[in-house]
Amino acid sequence: MSKKVLLLAGDAVEALEIYYPYFRCLEEGYDVQIAAPSKKQLQTVVHDFIGWDTYTESKGYLIESHLAFEDVNPEEYDGLIIPGGRAPEYIRLNENVPRIVAHFFEKNKPVGAICHASLILTTVKEYMKGRELTAYIACKPDVEATGATYIDNHLHVEGNLVSGHAWPDLPGFMREFINQINQ
């Protein structure tokens, strides 16, 4: 039976951070579904690093979500990937997101969190306390506010949690996530 992976997203999800994991999981033969606040076409954004003190943002591709957060039964999934971008800022406010994310930590299923995904992890602080993870550097205070230790590497694996700094780290991030799913 095929493994099943859930991606949490919304408008302004970082394009590479949703497309790369989505296609990479499909390539592995996994059943992959994208959940969002509502089932709709999502607008992605492209974040780039061009010498500013922070990243730039441009409009990206469109991607279709498959189901709404309220319709997600996390029991059906073997792993969770949370892409970054600006989507985590507001999707973490959806009442279903903590329920979904908590399930993967309660059941020790693989969780991949890259870039600004750490903002969503603030909704499940009880599972972050004492953990280690990395994220985009601007999210360091949010990581530490959960009781976790911010790791200054671009890729970090601790238990069931695979974390990455930003989209340039996707090859290693997906390698580690797939290793966990296939165990």
Side-chain angles (χ1 to χ4, degrees), residues 32-77:
V32 189
Q33 295 190 325
I34 298 170
S38 62
K39 183 180 175 184
K40 69 173 211 155
Q41 200 170 52
L42 302 173
Q43 177 64 61
T44 71
V45 295
V46 175
H47 288 165
D48 213 346
F49 308 98
I50 60 167
W52 289 10
D53 290 335
T54 188
Y55 55 86
T56 61
E57 183 176 275
S58 305
K59 191 173 178 181
Y61 298 104
L62 299 172
I63 192 166
E64 197 71 37
S65 65
H66 302 107
L67 70 164
F69 293 144
E70 65 188 19
D71 298 323
V72 171
N73 175 1
E75 294 278 342
E76 297 176 5
Y77 299 91

Side-chain angles (χ1 to χ4, degrees), residues 97-164:
V97 168
R99 168 187 64 82
I100 294 166
V101 175
H103 167 82
F104 290 89
F105 287 104
E106 289 167 2
K107 301 298 183 184
N108 202 35
K109 295 178 182 179
V111 174
I114 191 158
C115 201
H116 286 80
S118 60
L119 297 177
I120 289 177
L121 300 180
T122 65
T123 69
V124 290
K125 288 181 184 179
E126 63 273 28
Y127 301 104
M128 295 298 100
K129 195 172 198 82
R131 304 267 333 230
E132 296 178 344
L133 65 139
T134 193
Y136 186 65
I137 189 64
C139 297
K140 182 179 180 178
D142 301 284
V143 168
E144 292 172 341
T146 68
T149 300
Y150 181 86
I151 302 299
D152 210 12
N153 295 333
H154 285 256
L155 178 67
H156 190 71
V157 179
E158 192 234 6
N160 68 320
L161 179 59
V162 177
S163 57

Side-chain angles (χ1 to χ4, degrees), residues 20-21 24-25 28 30 81 155-157 162 169-183:
Y20 189 116
R24 185 64 189 90
C25 286
E28 283 294 313
Y30 304 154
I81 296 175
L155 178 67
H156 190 71
V157 179
V162 177
D169 309 307
L170 281 164
F173 174 83
M174 286 309 298
R175 180 188 65 242
E176 295 299 331
F177 181 81
I178 287 168
N179 284 343
Q180 288 212 6
I181 286 282
N182 288 339
Q183 288 181 0

